[in-house]
Amino acid sequence: IGQRVLLVDVDPQGNLTIDQHGNRRVIRLEKDGTETVLADRFEGKRLNSPNDLVYRSDGTLYFTDPPFGLPKFFDDKRKELPFSGVYMIRNGKLQLVTSEFTGPNGIAFSPDEKYLYVGNWDEKKKVVWRYEVQPDGTVRNGKLFFDFTSFPGEDAIDGIKVDTAGNLFVSAPGGLQVISPEGKHLGTIHTPQHVHNMAWGDDDGKSLYLCARTGLYRIRLNIPGVRPRT
């Protein structure tokens, strides 16, 4: 692809959807190897640097757009948008979901898709928020779900994944933090290197693959993250 990639997901048709962090756009990799640009500008201005993404079951794509792919981050002269947005692409149209985060990063749905979780990469405000998702894909009633600011560790919030029971696995200070659907801290998974993002895998959906800077790890869990393959 030739550009720094932050996250890859698969659309309902099985095509790879890629956040090209360095190229400041979201693309779909077609089966013939060509690229289709899904989003690169909002209201005529270039996106910052798309970071994380997730699909809703109806095919609506949500992604976060902090400025971390720009060499000078918030102070980079190439930054065209005055905010860091969370967006959705619905029926081919790019729409702003919210612009209230400093550095929106990890993003995930609850199993029933009633809630959208968004993590904020900010050294002074390491939080995960939860929104109510409306039938048209928009969100409302955003509320603080969990605050990691006081947790020991230098890292802020990165990737988020949710298992079939609704538990959140959050790349956060101190390790991979596990939070119940009610917002209770259940425990911490410690790994040789700090985990930045995750993906569910294996036929039974009980393996969580963990991506660190120079290592890929796997941990087996009791509850599947995705429904087992049939």
Side-chain angles (χ1 to χ4, degrees):
I1 296 172
Q3 293 291 335
R4 186 184 176 197
V5 171
L6 257 289
L7 196 83
V8 176
D9 205 347
V10 179
D11 71 10
Q13 289 72 45
N15 300 305
L16 289 178
T17 305
I18 303 169
D19 277 344
Q20 288 187 329
H21 200 55
N23 212 20
R24 303 171 68 176
R25 63 185 188 176
V26 183
I27 65 121
R28 182 176 64 233
L29 187 63
E30 308 294 353
K31 291 181 172 59
D32 63 1
T34 60
E35 297 179 358
T36 298
V37 177
L38 301 180
D40 61 355
R41 295 178 182 272
F42 178 70
E43 296 183 345
K45 297 180 179 181
R46 290 193 71 184
L47 297 174
N48 297 319
S49 48
N51 184 281
D52 208 337
L53 55 85
V54 65
Y55 272 99
R56 196 181 180 196
S57 60
D58 66 356
T60 303
L61 175 65
Y62 294 74
F63 68 92
T64 56
D65 186 42
F68 305 138
L70 300 174
K72 295 184 179 180
F73 298 175
F74 299 97
D75 298 324
D76 200 293
K77 293 182 179 180
R78 286 163 289 190
K79 188 177 187 298
E80 299 181 17
L81 291 165
F83 55 83
S84 298
V86 179
Y87 298 90
M88 70 175 182
I89 303 175
R90 182 178 175 86
N91 298 325
K93 180 182 179 181
L94 179 66
Q95 301 177 57
L96 180 65
V97 174
T98 179
S99 60
E100 59 192 310
F101 294 99
T102 306
N105 200 303
I107 187 169
F109 279 104
S110 61
D112 57 11
E113 298 185 340
K114 291 182 178 180
Y115 298 108
L116 179 70
Y117 297 97
V118 180
N120 190 45
W121 182 283
D122 185 332
E123 294 180 352
K124 298 180 180 179
K125 196 174 183 181
K126 306 174 183 181
V127 298
V128 174
W129 274 51
R130 186 174 76 177
Y131 294 86
E132 297 175 7
V133 182
Q134 304 306 293
D136 65 356
T138 58
V139 301
R140 67 184 182 94
N141 292 338
K143 296 180 180 179
L144 177 65
F145 178 72
F146 200 92
D147 191 342
F148 293 97
T149 308
S150 63
F151 277 46
E154 297 181 356
D155 291 283
I157 307 298
D158 207 325
I160 300 174
K161 289 293 181 289
V162 181
D163 67 17
T164 54
N167 301 306
L168 276 70
F169 293 74
V170 184
S171 171
L176 183 59
Q177 306 293 351
V178 186
I179 310 298
S180 75
E182 295 74 35
K184 179 182 178 181
H185 181 238
L186 301 178
T188 305
I189 298 174
H190 297 284
T191 54
Q193 297 178 326
H194 184 76
V195 171
H196 291 278
N197 222 312
M198 304 78 69
W200 300 108
D202 294 355
D203 289 343
D204 60 4
K206 291 184 178 181
S207 287
L208 185 60
Y209 288 83
L210 313 171
C211 297
R213 284 190 179 273
T214 61
L216 177 64
Y217 306 92
R218 184 182 78 151
I219 183 171
R220 292 285 295 169
L221 301 169
N222 293 326
I223 298 173
V226 291
R227 293 179 179 177
R229 299 174 187 173
T230 55

